Amino acid sequence: QGRAFWVLDDLWVLRQAANAPADNGLHLYTPPRWSMGKPGGRGRTFEGKNPSPHVPLYYVIRDEVDDDATLKIDILDAGGAVVRTMASREGDQERCEKGNEEPRQPIKHKYAPTKKGFNKWHWNMKSEDVPCIENILIHAGFNGPSVAPGDYTARLTLGDLTSEVSFRVAQDPRSSASPDEISDWANTLATVKAMLSDALQALDQARQARDQITALISEHDDTQLRALAENAVSGIDVWEKKITQLKHETYEDEDAWATMFDGQVRYLMETIDRSGAPITGGMRTRLADLTQQWVELQQELRNITANYIVPINDWAYTRQEPYVVHPGGHTVTADGGT
């Protein structure tokens, strides 16, 4: 009705554009100092829209981009380690997450644009996603936790073209956490994420071993092999149900069937992430409980491997048959070693 406040966001891009090199094939603008904890959400009717809480990445591509070209965006920490990689097209991680999609929670991935001229993307200040495995339903998803405040670099790569800039992610201004508390928070998040990643990898390998064992006994009528195989498959079946809830098929199933180890660890990671520093006593207690549970689960899987899978591979080695993967990352080589 002619009455409003007008705000021009990201004016810094226009200021930098005056000095941007005109002949660069790929140019990334330097984001300003960006605070964590910015509000998000959408406004209602006749309400303004909050600026995005994500770090804005504006860039210019001088020429048309081939259909098969991929724009890669790496975020590096102050030590030069890559903490997050994004791209302009679907990768294995996105395909896996889409394959695990729950009907009530459809997944819609977005990708960095590569049109000629001016483009905008963003970084949500999250670390790399938890590695996805097939045939698993984690309702909270595979998103990695937030990074710690600090200095970061964004590096764009398109074919032979690169452009990178440095910027700072600042602490949430509402937080009074000390540097030591923030460091402890970030390290704890990394520990929980590693536990979840290791558990999913071990589950994926255990399933692979089970498939390989099933293939062996389908091809060989051997009493010794069958006894070992039945015990191995039975053991993996029981172990799998402790790692993930196989009865979860849709969102409300969490109310009917207990969330198992993967979902419990994922929930703890999200709780620590959203709460911010400092870590509470309850979080530490829960982490200690889950850590002990993971130690016991790892030992169970090692026992299955030692008692059944290793003898199966001894049987396979003497007959020059395919070997079965050892869950936990070990495989048997051609000479019977690991």
Side-chain angles (χ1 to χ4, degrees):
Q1 299 178 10
R3 295 186 295 274
F5 290 102
W6 294 88
V7 178
L8 179 60
D9 293 324
D10 299 343
L11 188 59
W12 53 272
V13 180
L14 297 181
R15 290 170 175 157
Q16 291 184 31
N19 299 317
D23 57 346
N24 279 11
L26 179 66
H27 178 71
L28 173 63
Y29 291 89
T30 303
R33 181 177 182 271
W34 205 256
S35 296
M36 304 181 76
K38 289 180 179 290
R42 290 179 288 181
R44 296 173 294 182
T45 304
F46 300 120
E47 289 184 342
K49 180 181 179 181
N50 285 325
S52 170
H54 304 151
V55 177
L57 300 174
Y58 288 93
Y59 53 96
V60 174
I61 300 176
R62 183 185 60 194
D63 303 318
E64 295 287 347
V65 177
D66 294 337
D67 292 339
D68 59 348
T70 299
L71 174 70
K72 181 182 176 184
I73 304 174
D74 291 316
I75 306 295
L76 298 82
D77 64 15
V82 176
V83 298
R84 181 73 184 275
T85 296
M86 300 166 283
S88 59
R89 62 175 66 230
E90 183 182 66
D92 292 340
Q93 178 77 14
E94 291 80 17
R95 278 189 289 272
C96 178
E97 292 179 8
K98 190 67 177 176
N100 291 333
E101 181 180 77
E102 192 268 308
R104 293 287 301 277
Q105 296 177 303
I107 296 174
K108 295 182 179 179
H109 293 114
K110 295 182 179 180
Y111 304 99
T114 57
K115 67 179 184 294
K116 178 182 177 180
F118 195 68
N119 295 273
K120 180 183 180 182
W121 190 236
H122 61 267
W123 173 46
N124 61 2
M125 293 174 283
K126 298 284 188 179
S127 63
E128 202 68 77
D129 287 355
V130 175
C132 176
I133 67 171
E134 297 179 356
N135 300 319
I136 195 167
L137 184 57
I138 299 179
H139 293 290
F142 293 88
N143 294 334
S146 299
V147 299
D151 295 321
Y152 291 90
T153 297
R155 181 174 63 204
L156 270 64
T157 304
L158 180 62
D160 296 332
L161 303 173
T162 61
S163 181
E164 66 178 48
V165 296
S166 297
F167 60 96
R168 182 163 185 79
V169 172
Q171 181 176 344
D172 186 335
R174 300 168 298 180
S175 171
S176 59
S178 69
D180 287 344
E181 289 173 333
I182 292 175
S183 178
D184 178 49
W185 171 78
N187 291 336
T188 303
L189 277 175
T191 297
V192 179
K193 179 184 177 182
M195 186 190 303
L196 178 57
S197 299
D198 290 346
L200 293 179
Q201 181 185 43
L203 174 59
D204 195 42
Q205 292 172 343
R207 288 172 168 177
Q208 181 182 352
R210 183 173 58 192
D211 291 343
Q212 292 171 338
I213 292 169
T214 301
L216 270 178
I217 60 176
S218 68
E219 297 173 0
H220 301 278
D221 185 15
D222 184 285
T223 303
Q224 177 191 6
L225 174 63
R226 185 167 297 278
L228 290 169
E230 289 177 353
N231 286 325
V233 169
S234 175
I236 292 173
D237 287 346
V238 172
W239 188 84
E240 177 184 36
K241 293 174 183 178
K242 295 179 181 179
I243 294 291
T244 192
Q245 178 55 265
L246 301 176
K247 295 179 180 179
H248 283 174
E249 295 181 0
T250 187
Y251 187 70
E252 286 78 6
D253 284 350
E254 283 187 306
D255 299 330
W257 307 105
T259 298
M260 305 311 289
F261 183 76
D262 58 353
Q264 296 285 339
V265 177
R266 181 65 180 85
Y267 179 77
L268 176 62
M269 185 175 75
E270 186 159 343
T271 300
I272 295 173
D273 190 0
R274 289 185 175 183
S275 298
I279 302 295
T280 67
M283 293 172 183
R284 295 189 193 282
T285 298
R286 186 62 183 136
L287 176 56
D289 292 342
L290 290 171
T291 300
Q292 180 58 38
Q293 186 178 350
W294 178 228
V295 169
E296 294 170 359
L297 286 166
Q298 287 176 297
Q299 186 58 52
E300 288 181 25
L301 190 58
R302 282 194 290 267
N303 290 342
I304 294 170
T305 300
N307 294 333
Y308 307 118
I309 296 180
V310 169
I312 288 174
N313 278 329
D314 290 341
W315 179 95
Y317 177 69
T318 60
R319 294 163 176 79
Q320 296 184 336
E321 293 291 340
Y323 300 109
V324 176
V325 65
H326 285 192
H330 300 293
T331 55
V332 178
T333 61
D335 60 358
T338 59

